[in-house]
Each structure stands twice: as structure tokens, then as C-alpha cells.
């Protein structure tokens, strides 16, 4: 099916948006559910939260290359619908969970089917011209931004109706998203751009080994690895850290994530379309990494709750780096391997999500425990900033001689 680019982008934007709203709904209330089921305090429960992310990431690591390969063979639409059904089932597991084991079971199911953003990225690559690809990848960030405005607020306020209510709401949004995709979302991958499914390539190792054919992509993987691990200093600890350090409630956490959504939406949906044409992809990577690093250092040094809101500004400005990196890597890969590339990137994210959450949450737990040599709640943020410094150095090595295969469109 021939897809009109503008209409297709709107379709996939709405699909990602509803998906992210579902995620955002459960973030403010997950710490409460974990502490209820385990009987632990917030700083102790962060470790369990890290292991739940570990279970999700491990399953995703094994299965995302399979789904990426299937999307290159059968199209993006059926894989995306399958993924949405998996997330809906996960939220229902969380809603009915009588024990912590149910949470782990739901997270594994979500990891097996969790290819929605992977497939959406391949979808965007299918319908984008090379010079617009990075800017269109920014739509994913914009959908995340708006989703994190609406989702956490819905989660925080629906929790006042009952501790399990937000999970039912998230399941409802996800199943509505499935229906939207089933009846509205067109296929993006033309039949002439499809390739045979090869199980030798549809595994985490095989998918990553295929990237040897693309030296720039392979070299940037090391920088991305450090970025993704560092990001879990914030992603895995935010709710636990702010509850423990500043006494925030679920509603305050939801408001803070709403602020994240506003900032991410502004950066990814607007600023990136101004910044990228002016700086080019390579400078945008450096600037973004520096802003991420600055934001993490400031989080770690915060002594009052309002500072976390203020320091979100430099941290969220760091988001200009990821669409730029995706644009660089996607430009190196042919149309019939975009799903494989996105599957490999998801595998990489999963590897780092196997490492990052336990590392960062246990750092937080250890440095807030009575046996710690020094009381340092900001330890995971300082560790993340150090990893980002290494990422800057590695990306410079990879990109210092890089010449784009397509010109960067100048503003105006």
C-alpha cells in the first residue's frame, strides 16, 4: 500500500502517544504497589523495582530481534498490533497481582511482546526521506513528551480511587490503541522492500553482528550503551528517590513527570526542528550528551524538591542527541534492513536495561543504607554523569571523521 507520508506520520504519532500514556499512568503508582506487596520502605523497594526492569529487559533482549525481523518480512502493522496486545495483558497482570511474582510474570510478557517503539521507529524510517528522518524520529520524543504530561497525571489522580485503578486505566488505553491500530493504521513497508525472515539474524547476537557491515553504526553502539545505562540513574530511581529524599506523594511524582513531558514535548516536537538544521547531526550529539551530563550532576546535588523541577530543563535538552544519533545510523542502513536495525537497537537497550536498573537502584539503596561509608542519595546520578562523559569521548572518536551520506537541510 502506498502511504502518504504526512497522514502516516499522524497515524503513528497517535499510536505512540496512546502507548506512552499507558506507560505514564503506572509510573507514579508502581513504587506504592511494590512496597505494598513486599512490605519494604521506598529506598529498599527501589531494588525490587530494578529487578522488575531487569526481567522486562531480559525478555525484550531475547525477543526484540525476532519481532524486528518479522516486521521486515510481514510489515510493521501486524507486529505493532501484537505488541500492543502484550502490553495490555501486562497491565492486567499488574492490576490483579496478589504477589510480587505476578509483577515479574507481567513484566516478562511485556518484554516478549514489547516491540512497539522498535516497530514505530522502523515505520518512521520507512516513510521518511533521508534528510527528514532525524526530525521525524523526533516525533517519537514528542509523543513521549505529551504522553508523560497526560499519563502520570491520570495515574496519580486515578490512584485516589484505589491503588489498582491506574493499572486498569492503562490496560484500557492500550486496548483502545490496539483497536485504533487495527482499524486506522496503514502498513508502511512496501512489498518490494521486504526481505525473508532469517532466524540466524533474528536473535540478539545475530542482529548485533549484522551491524558489522555498517562501521559508523557499530562504533556508535558503544556510546549508546553508556547513554542508556546512564539514563537509568533517572528512569529507574526517580519515583523512589523523590519519595525518599523529599517526601513526595504519588500526585507530586505525577506532576513532576508531567513537567518532564512538557519539556520533552517542547524539545522533541519543536526545538529539534530548529536546532538540527543549524547544528547538524554531529554537533547535536555532543550538545545533547553534555546537557544530559549537566542535568544528572545537578540532580545529584539537589537539596530541595523544587530544584528537581529546575534541573529538568538542562536534562531534557539532552534529548536532542538521540534523534540525531538515530538519523546518523539510519542513513547508513538500506530500507529492507531498517527493522533489523531498530531491533538491534532495542536489543542494545535491553542489554543496558539488564545492567542499568539493578546497578543504579542498588547504588541508591546502598548509599542510603545505615551501613554505607557515606550518605550519598545522589550516587546514581553522579555515576550516570561519569558514564556520559565517557560517551562523549567515544562519540567524538566515532564521529570526528564522519561524513553524512545525505546533506542536512538548512533552516529556511
Amino acid at each position: 500500500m502506498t502511504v502518504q507520508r504526512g497522514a502516516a506520520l499522524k497515524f503513528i504519532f497517535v499510536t505512540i502517544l496512546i502507548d506512552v500514556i499507558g506507560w505514564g499512568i503506572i509510573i507514579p503508582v508502581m513504587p506504592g504497589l511494590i512496597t505494598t506487596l513486599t512490605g519494604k520502605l521506598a529506598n529498599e523497594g527501589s531494588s525490587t523495582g530494578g529487578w522488575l526492569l531487569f526481567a522486562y529487559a531480559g525478555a525484550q533482549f531475547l525477543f526484540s530481534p525476532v519481532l524486528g525481523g518479522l516486521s521486515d518480512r510481514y510489515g510493521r502493522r501486524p507486529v505493532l498490533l501484537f505488541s500492543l496486545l502484550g502490553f495490555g495483558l501486562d497491565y492486567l497482570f499488574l492490576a490483579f497481582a496478589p504477589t510480587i511474582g505476578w509483577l515479574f510474570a507481567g513484566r516478562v510478557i511485556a518484554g516478549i511482546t514489547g516491540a512497539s517503539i522498535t516497530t514505530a521507529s522502523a515505520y518512521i524510517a520507512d516513510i521518511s526521506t533521508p534528510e527528514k528522518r532525524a526530525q521525524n524520529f523526533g516525533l517519537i520524543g514528542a509523543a513521549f513528551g505529551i504522553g508523560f504530561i497526560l499519563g502520570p497525571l491520570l495515574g496519580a489522580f486515578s490512584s485516589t480511587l484505589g491503588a489498582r485503578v491506574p493499572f486498569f486505566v492503562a490496560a484500557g488505553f492500550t486496548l483502545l490503541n490496539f483497536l485504533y491500530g487495527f482499524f486506522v493504521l496503514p502498513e508502511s513497508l512496501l512489498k518490494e522492500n521486504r526481505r525473508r525472515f532469517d532466524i540466524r539474524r533474528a536473535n540478539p547476537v545475530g542482529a548485533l553482528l549484522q551491524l558489522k557491515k555498517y562501521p559508523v553504526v557499530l562504533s556508535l553502539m558503544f556510546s549508546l550503551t553508556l547513554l542508556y545505562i546512564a539514563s537509568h540513574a533517572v528512569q529507574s530511581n526517580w519515583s523512589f528517590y523523590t519519595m525518599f529524599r523529599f517526601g513526595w506523594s504519588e500526585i507530586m511524582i505525577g506532576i513532576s513527570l508531567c513537567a518532564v513531558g512538557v519539556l520533552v514535548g517542547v524539545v522533541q516536537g519543536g526545538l529539534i526542528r530548529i536546532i538540527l538544521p543549524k547544528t547538524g547531526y554531529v554537533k547535536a550529539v555532543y550538545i545533547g550528551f553534555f546537557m544530559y551530563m549537566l542535568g544528572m550532576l545537578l540532580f545529584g546535588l539537589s537539596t530541595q524538591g523544587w530544584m528537581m523541577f529546575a534541573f529538568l530543563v538542562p536534562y531534557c535538552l539532552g534529548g536532542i542527541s538521540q534523534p540525531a544519533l538515530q538519523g546518523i545510523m539510519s542513513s547508513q542502513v538500506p530500507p529492507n534492513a531498517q527493522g533489523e536495525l531498530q531491533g538491534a537497537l532495542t536489543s542494545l537497550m535491553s542489554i543496558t536495561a539488564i545492567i542499568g536498573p539493578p546497578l543504579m537502584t542498588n547504588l541508591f539503596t546502598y548509599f542510603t543504607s545505615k551501613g554505607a561509608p557515606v550518605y550519598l542519595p545522589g550516587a546514581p546520578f553522579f555515576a550516570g554523569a561519569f558514564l556520559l562523559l565517557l560517551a562523549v569521548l567515544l562519540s567524538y572518536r566515532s564521529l570526528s571523521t564522519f561524513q553524512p551520506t545525505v546533506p542536512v537541510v538548512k533552516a529556511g
Side-chain angles (χ1 to χ4, degrees):
M1 181 188 299
T2 300
V3 181
Q4 294 294 323
R5 289 192 174 97
L9 280 172
K10 292 176 183 177
F11 287 138
I12 201 66
F13 175 81
V14 172
T15 300
I16 298 170
L17 173 62
I18 299 175
D19 201 14
V20 175
I21 288 173
W23 295 354
I25 285 171
I26 71 168
I27 290 176
V29 295
M30 273 297 285
L33 181 60
I34 291 170
T35 55
T36 298
L37 293 177
T38 62
K40 296 179 178 179
L41 298 175
N43 62 322
E44 298 168 334
S46 68
S47 179
T48 303
W51 289 116
L52 282 168
L53 289 171
F54 175 92
Y56 171 80
Q60 190 176 60
F61 170 69
L62 294 173
F63 286 92
S64 60
V66 176
L67 295 178
L70 289 172
S71 78
D72 281 339
R73 173 64 182 89
Y74 297 106
R76 317 301 184 202
R77 185 174 178 272
V79 173
L80 188 57
L81 294 177
F82 174 72
S83 177
L84 294 175
L85 274 178
F87 273 119
L89 184 60
D90 168 44
Y91 295 141
L92 290 176
F93 262 82
L94 300 181
F96 288 108
T99 65
I100 197 71
W102 278 56
L103 299 191
F104 279 95
R107 292 282 79 192
V108 169
I109 291 171
I112 291 172
T113 61
S116 55
I117 301 302
T118 302
T119 310
S121 298
Y123 191 109
I124 289 172
D126 292 338
I127 62 176
S128 300
T129 59
E131 63 272 12
K132 290 289 186 181
R133 193 166 283 155
Q135 295 181 39
N136 289 342
F137 279 134
L139 288 175
I140 296 177
F144 266 87
I146 298 172
F148 270 89
I149 295 170
L150 301 175
L153 288 179
L154 282 171
F157 286 103
S158 64
S159 69
T160 61
L161 302 175
R164 307 296 181 115
V165 171
F167 300 98
F168 288 109
V169 175
F173 268 96
T174 305
L175 296 176
L176 284 174
N177 200 5
F178 170 82
L179 293 175
Y180 172 82
F182 185 83
F183 289 108
V184 178
L185 189 70
E187 178 56 63
S188 65
L189 186 64
L190 302 176
K191 290 186 176 180
E192 57 266 29
N193 287 334
R194 300 184 186 188
R195 64 175 177 87
R196 291 179 58 190
F197 178 77
D198 185 350
I199 193 63
R200 293 170 298 179
R201 297 169 63 171
N203 63 81
V205 176
L208 291 170
L209 286 176
Q210 287 297 313
L211 299 180
K212 291 193 299 184
K213 297 182 292 187
Y214 315 110
V216 172
V217 174
L218 185 63
S219 63
L220 287 175
M221 284 291 188
F222 295 103
S223 296
L224 276 174
T225 298
L226 295 173
L227 171 62
Y228 291 153
I229 293 174
S231 69
H232 281 284
V234 178
Q235 294 175 18
S236 301
N237 279 312
W238 184 266
S239 297
F240 297 100
Y241 178 81
T242 53
M243 287 176 72
F244 176 77
R245 185 94 163 105
F246 308 114
W248 284 8
S249 65
E250 286 87 352
I251 291 178
M252 182 57 71
I253 293 170
I255 292 171
S256 72
L257 293 174
C258 175
V260 172
V262 171
L263 291 169
V264 170
V266 169
V267 172
Q268 301 281 353
L271 286 181
I272 200 168
R273 295 177 177 270
I274 300 171
I275 294 172
L276 276 182
K278 292 182 179 296
T279 64
Y281 293 175
V282 174
K283 287 183 180 179
V285 171
Y286 298 147
I287 294 169
F289 278 176
F290 174 78
M291 297 306 288
Y292 272 140
M293 183 169 56
L294 177 62
M296 286 204 186
L297 286 172
L298 293 173
F299 287 152
L301 295 171
S302 296
T303 57
Q304 297 184 50
W306 66 264
M307 293 180 177
M308 300 298 284
F309 284 89
F311 299 152
L312 280 171
V313 175
Y315 181 77
C316 291
L317 282 171
I320 67 172
S321 61
Q322 293 191 51
L325 281 168
Q326 281 187 293
I328 291 170
M329 291 189 287
S330 184
S331 71
Q332 307 296 302
V333 176
N336 66 356
Q338 291 292 333
E340 182 176 58
L341 169 65
Q342 301 303 330
L345 290 176
T346 301
S347 289
L348 178 67
M349 290 181 68
S350 300
I351 293 171
T352 60
I354 291 170
I355 300 168
L359 172 64
M360 296 303 183
T361 56
N362 280 289
L363 271 176
F364 173 58
T365 299
Y366 176 70
F367 280 100
T368 56
S369 68
K370 294 181 180 179
V374 59
Y375 178 75
L376 193 65
F381 299 118
F382 298 137
F386 176 72
L387 292 177
L388 283 162
L389 176 61
L390 295 180
V392 171
L393 297 175
L394 286 175
S395 62
Y396 177 77
R397 180 181 177 184
S398 303
L399 297 173
S400 58
T401 59
F402 171 70
Q403 295 295 326
T405 57
V406 294
V408 177
V409 178
K410 300 299 180 183

